[in-house]
Amino acid sequence: MDNINIKIIAEKLKLSTSTISRAFNGSPDINKDTRERILAFAKEHNFLPNHYASNLRDKKTKTLAVIVPEIVNDFFAQAINGIEEVARKKGFYILLYRTDDIFEKEVSFISYLNNGKVDGIIMSVSGEANDHNYIKKLEQKHIPVVFFDRVYEDIDVSKVTTNDYESSFSATEHLIAQGCRRVAYLVINKNISIGKVRGQGYMDALAKHHIAFDDRLVIDCSQDENENYTIIQNALERVKPDGIFSSVERLALATYHVCNDMKIDVPNNLKIISFSSLHIAPLLCPPLSTITQPAYEMGIKAAELLFEELENKGLDSTKKHLVLESKLFIRRSSSV
Amino acid sequence: MDNINIKIIAEKLKLSTSTISRAFNGSPDINKDTRERILAFAKEHNFLPNHYASNLRDKKTKTLAVIVPEIVNDFFAQAINGIEEVARKKGFYILLYRTDDIFEKEVSFISYLNNGKVDGIIMSVSGEANDHNYIKKLEQKHIPVVFFDRVYEDIDVSKVTTNDYESSFSATEHLIAQGCRRVAYLVINKNISIGKVRGQGYMDALAKHHIAFDDRLVIDCSQDENENYTIIQNALERVKPDGIFSSVERLALATYHVCNDMKIDVPNNLKIISFSSLHIAPLLCPPLSTITQPAYEMGIKAAELLFEELENKGLDSTKKHLVLESKLFIRRSSSV
DNA sequence: TTGTAGGCGTTATCAA
DNA sequence: TTGATAACGCCTACAA
């Protein structure tokens, strides 16, 4: 009874494989007693229909790929929770992949996915300044894709993002209201989607309050933690900002480290606010003001959009773009 | 050219399906030119052999399930990173599942996995005080399992844990050395594996220093954040500890919240140390002393153990138990 | 070096 | 209500 399958069950119960199969698929064309007899036998022998064989027949994998830049990050972890929640209800499995923000990993993984491994893909992208042709190939295979948070503008798929422009504007305005006149903008790449949109909100807020834009205050950082430390340290020494608007949690935390080491008094000498979904932001020293994105809901919505497409199966092919609202939490790091 | 497969390629290239197949499997029995011609054609048409069909033939899924209590937690997130690292090198996919520490979810997911969906399972368990028969069923199907961090003692599988007893002992001793005489032990369930072992280290350290054990200082908490807040608040008011040794990060953070609200001065009136893999522990207010488990390495090791079993395929079936070392980071929360 | 053929486990169609 | 059969896409003996 090592390798059990419906054929063996059929023999044992003196039935045909079709009948066994029907028992597992809620088919109405089966006698209730027969079904129960089969299910009981299956349960006793710990049998479930082989997923790969079913998939081969049905061309449905009930599996979905989730691709994110990192996992050790409350934003993405919560988003995954949301996706998982919806997927579980639909009986779907989740294939997880992390890119470390390395474009090549994203390409390589997605290319693999062209083998029918998954029914759909939910992702937060990592390589905006590149050729995104590999994503279009998924279309050929009818594998729907949904982007969340970090998206490629040039790819027409459903998207879930947040009101980045507005919240960046408010955050910057908040710093100005707190008396900041030299607000620095920390960003990983100022030229691409999120960095660009958030930067626009920042600049427009400055303009509204008649503060001249100084491009030395735009601090372009990297993926490397150590480099960032140095970059930020130099910026604080040379450009002497009195406020920091960080587009990425990681950079705000790096700033905290620098301030600790340089004994810069936050918020008295430097006010900080950052995009962040860190649930312990209130416990930091000082508590960090955050623009918090609804990470969990974004995951939920992204998954729902994907399932919509999966269930429409090619019919209504218009892509949706949902924009959820972030929330400002003003804490001590930005207000005395 | 919508649904391409090796048969179609065979026709187009006037070859047989076996030759096409060989081109993709690094078979030596194929002319180099033929292979290249095939691969070029495949690339152009964006073809990869269907994963489910191959699996059905080979009975290998190249997929591995990872089951953890939570994802929004630096310990598990880092462990997943480690697992993923190894899996990626082996060309394996990762199926992620989160139990929210709910035993039923664990059972339900594992039961599903009996359908040949994965080759192996790596998990940190959620239901210690229960019947674990559902795990033994995996053995029948020759699906190896590896536990990490949270394990079932009564199940004989490979395990990766840390030196919980020793580090609990040291942590408690450290608090005593800092002058604490009423050290409380925060735990989720004092009667099961991790809670028990860590509790033993705590008690033995007290004994060594001739401090009488007071069971009112063992604070048994729950899964619910709000409840925990109340439990800890009551404990601080009534039992008045001067030190906290927390077996779980979450409880230490709850204590921080309570202390903030009750205006308890940490570390002057209460010293805190906790198991935690939070990478921003140094940025908390005050910086949190931690017993930090090598989460990433644990993930690596767990995955390596699993692959060993997968590659041995039934031969040497002795299970291994690796014990890695945690590290104490003394910060301001526990030392003046 | 290439081709033929059977089967992996399941399900849908059709017939009984 | 049940059974026989073909097919999903691939791989591997074995034959050529």
Side-chain angles (χ1 to χ4, degrees):
Chain A
M1 196 58 67
D2 210 45
N3 277 327
I4 193 170
N5 57 35
I6 58 171
K7 215 159 143 190
I8 296 183
I9 299 185
E11 281 167 21
K12 297 271 180 202
L13 297 184
K14 302 202 189 305
L15 287 166
S16 74
T17 57
S18 356
T19 307
I20 311 299
S21 177
R22 281 191 269 260
F24 288 100
N25 298 318
S27 159
D29 299 345
I30 185 174
N31 182 295
K32 211 181 152 211
D33 293 345
T34 325
R35 173 201 270 110
E36 273 165 18
R37 200 154 60 92
I38 295 172
L39 293 185
F41 184 91
K43 182 154 198 181
E44 183 188 344
H45 293 272
N46 189 26
F47 169 83
L48 277 182
N50 181 294
H51 190 241
Y52 287 76
S54 311
N55 289 161
L56 184 54
R57 271 278 332 191
D58 297 356
K59 301 174 165 242
K60 298 212 165 134
T61 68
K62 290 224 154 215
T63 304
L64 181 148
V66 174
I67 305 177
V68 293
E70 30 176 4
I71 305 171
V72 187
N73 174 316
D74 285 7
F75 173 75
F76 289 113
Q78 288 175 49
I80 294 173
N81 276 354
I83 295 169
E84 213 245 8
E85 202 64 39
V86 178
R88 184 200 311 260
K89 280 191 195 130
K90 300 276 185 180
F92 268 61
Y93 298 89
I94 286 187
L95 224 48
L96 183 68
Y97 203 76
R98 158 189 124 244
T99 64
D100 291 319
D101 250 317
I102 296 171
F103 178 63
E104 288 70 29
K105 288 197 186 175
E106 177 179 307
V107 177
S108 127
F109 193 57
I110 291 203
S111 305
Y112 270 124
L113 257 24
N114 265 321
N115 63 357
K117 180 79 190 175
V118 301
D119 291 341
I121 300 178
I122 297 179
M123 68 189 291
S124 203
V125 309
S126 303
E128 317 211 22
N130 297 282
D131 174 18
H132 306 137
N133 218 14
Y134 61 100
I135 296 206
K136 292 190 184 141
K137 287 184 182 166
L138 293 169
E139 250 176 80
Q140 291 174 27
K141 305 268 176 173
H142 309 291
I143 300 177
V145 179
V146 175
F147 290 154
F148 74 96
D149 195 43
R150 309 212 209 154
V151 308
Y152 292 142
E153 307 283 359
D154 58 331
I155 299 286
D156 181 37
V157 301
S158 287
K159 295 167 189 169
V160 180
T161 56
T162 49
N163 57 341
D164 283 312
Y165 174 83
E166 290 78 4
S167 39
S168 299
F169 188 95
S170 317
T172 309
E173 229 180 0
H174 157 71
L175 290 178
I176 296 170
Q178 292 298 311
C180 297
R181 285 302 169 269
R182 296 181 54 71
V183 178
Y185 173 49
L186 297 189
V187 61
I188 297 277
N189 190 329
K190 65 184 171 192
N191 296 317
I192 55 183
S193 75
I194 277 191
K196 206 163 62 183
V197 175
R198 293 180 181 176
Q200 195 60 51
Y202 157 80
M203 289 195 286
D204 289 359
L206 293 183
K208 175 177 167 195
H209 293 274
H210 311 294
I211 297 179
F213 170 70
D214 176 353
D215 66 359
R216 287 171 311 160
L217 283 168
V218 174
I219 322 283
D220 225 324
C221 299
S222 83
Q223 298 294 352
D224 182 86
E225 289 302 308
N226 296 325
E227 267 183 51
N228 285 341
Y229 184 95
T230 313
I231 293 173
I232 292 171
Q233 190 177 34
N234 286 340
L236 292 189
E237 275 170 3
R238 297 185 194 155
V239 200
K240 300 205 181 307
D242 55 7
I244 296 265
F245 163 52
S246 167
S247 64
V248 173
E249 174 184 296
R250 217 154 8 106
L251 300 180
L253 297 175
T255 308
Y256 265 55
H257 279 119
V258 174
C259 288
N260 275 346
D261 296 349
M262 292 177 70
K263 311 249 181 265
I264 294 178
D265 178 353
V266 179
N268 288 312
N269 296 330
L270 182 69
K271 298 187 175 34
I272 305 181
I273 187 164
S274 176
F275 272 88
S276 167
S277 296
L278 196 62
H279 60 293
I280 55 168
L283 295 181
L284 292 185
C285 213
L288 174 64
S289 294
T290 57
I291 301 147
T292 299
Q293 298 175 277
Y296 180 75
E297 286 74 22
M298 290 174 81
I300 300 260
K301 290 298 178 196
E304 285 177 354
L305 284 185
L306 189 72
F307 281 110
E308 259 182 45
E309 291 196 48
L310 246 25
E311 285 155 14
N312 265 346
K313 212 51 186 168
L315 292 170
D316 172 26
S317 77
T318 51
K319 310 299 181 185
K320 297 192 184 163
H321 184 168
L322 296 183
V323 179
L324 307 191
E325 301 223 339
S326 296
K327 229 172 159 171
L328 244 63
F329 291 94
I330 302 305
R331 302 200 181 89
R332 247 195 21 250
S333 73
S334 70
S335 68
V336 193
Chain B
M1 196 57 64
D2 212 43
N3 278 327
I4 193 169
N5 58 34
I6 59 171
K7 212 160 146 190
I8 296 183
I9 298 186
E11 282 167 20
K12 299 271 179 203
L13 298 184
K14 301 201 188 307
L15 287 165
S16 75
T17 58
S18 17
T19 306
I20 311 299
S21 178
R22 279 190 270 261
F24 288 101
N25 298 318
S27 161
D29 300 346
I30 185 174
N31 181 295
K32 214 181 150 210
D33 293 345
T34 323
R35 174 203 269 109
E36 273 164 19
R37 199 155 59 93
I38 295 173
L39 293 185
F41 185 91
K43 183 154 198 183
E44 182 189 345
H45 293 272
N46 189 25
F47 169 83
L48 276 182
N50 180 293
H51 190 242
Y52 288 77
S54 316
N55 290 159
L56 184 55
R57 267 275 335 195
D58 299 354
K59 300 174 167 246
K60 296 210 165 131
T61 68
K62 290 227 154 211
T63 305
L64 179 152
V66 173
I67 306 177
V68 292
E70 29 176 4
I71 304 170
V72 187
N73 174 317
D74 285 6
F75 173 76
F76 290 112
Q78 288 175 48
I80 295 174
N81 276 354
I83 295 170
E84 213 245 8
E85 203 64 39
V86 178
R88 185 201 311 260
K89 280 191 194 129
K90 300 276 186 181
F92 269 61
Y93 299 89
I94 287 188
L95 224 47
L96 184 67
Y97 202 76
R98 160 187 121 242
T99 64
D100 291 320
D101 250 317
I102 295 170
F103 178 63
E104 288 68 31
K105 287 197 187 176
E106 177 178 308
V107 178
S108 126
F109 193 58
I110 291 204
S111 306
Y112 270 123
L113 257 25
N114 265 322
N115 64 358
K117 179 82 189 173
V118 300
D119 292 339
I121 301 178
I122 297 179
M123 67 188 292
S124 202
V125 309
S126 304
E128 318 213 20
N130 296 283
D131 175 17
H132 306 137
N133 221 12
Y134 60 100
I135 295 207
K136 293 189 183 140
K137 288 184 184 168
L138 293 170
E139 251 176 79
Q140 292 174 25
K141 306 267 175 173
H142 308 291
I143 300 177
V145 179
V146 173
F147 290 156
F148 73 96
D149 195 45
R150 308 210 208 155
V151 308
Y152 293 143
E153 306 282 359
D154 60 330
I155 299 287
D156 180 36
V157 299
S158 287
K159 294 167 188 169
V160 179
T161 57
T162 49
N163 57 341
D164 283 314
Y165 175 83
E166 291 78 5
S167 41
S168 300
F169 189 94
S170 317
T172 310
E173 234 182 355
H174 158 71
L175 290 177
I176 296 171
Q178 291 298 312
C180 297
R181 285 302 169 269
R182 297 182 53 72
V183 178
Y185 174 48
L186 297 190
V187 60
I188 296 279
N189 191 328
K190 66 184 170 193
N191 296 317
I192 54 180
S193 77
I194 276 192
K196 209 163 61 185
V197 174
R198 294 179 179 177
Q200 196 59 51
Y202 158 80
M203 289 195 286
D204 290 359
L206 293 183
K208 175 177 168 194
H209 294 274
H210 313 293
I211 297 179
F213 170 71
D214 176 351
D215 67 0
R216 287 172 310 161
L217 283 168
V218 174
I219 322 285
D220 225 324
C221 300
S222 81
Q223 298 294 355
D224 182 88
E225 290 302 307
N226 296 326
E227 268 183 48
N228 286 340
Y229 184 95
T230 314
I231 293 173
I232 292 171
Q233 189 176 36
N234 286 339
L236 293 188
E237 276 170 3
R238 296 183 196 156
V239 200
K240 298 206 184 304
D242 55 8
I244 296 265
F245 164 51
S246 167
S247 64
V248 173
E249 174 184 295
R250 215 151 14 102
L251 300 180
L253 297 176
T255 308
Y256 265 55
H257 278 120
V258 174
C259 288
N260 274 347
D261 296 350
M262 291 176 70
K263 312 250 179 261
I264 294 177
D265 178 355
V266 179
N268 288 311
N269 296 329
L270 181 69
K271 298 188 176 33
I272 304 181
I273 188 166
S274 175
F275 272 88
S276 167
S277 297
L278 197 61
H279 60 292
I280 55 166
L283 294 182
L284 292 186
C285 214
L288 175 64
S289 293
T290 57
I291 302 147
T292 300
Q293 299 175 277
Y296 180 75
E297 286 75 22
M298 292 176 79
I300 299 262
K301 291 296 178 197
E304 286 176 354
L305 284 184
L306 188 73
F307 280 109
E308 262 183 43
E309 291 197 49
L310 245 25
E311 283 155 16
N312 265 345
K313 210 55 187 167
L315 293 169
D316 171 25
S317 77
T318 52
K319 309 301 182 184
K320 297 193 182 161
H321 185 169
L322 296 183
V323 179
L324 306 190
E325 300 222 339
S326 295
K327 229 171 161 171
L328 243 64
F329 290 94
I330 304 306
R331 302 199 181 89
R332 242 185 39 239
S333 73
S334 71
S335 68
V336 192

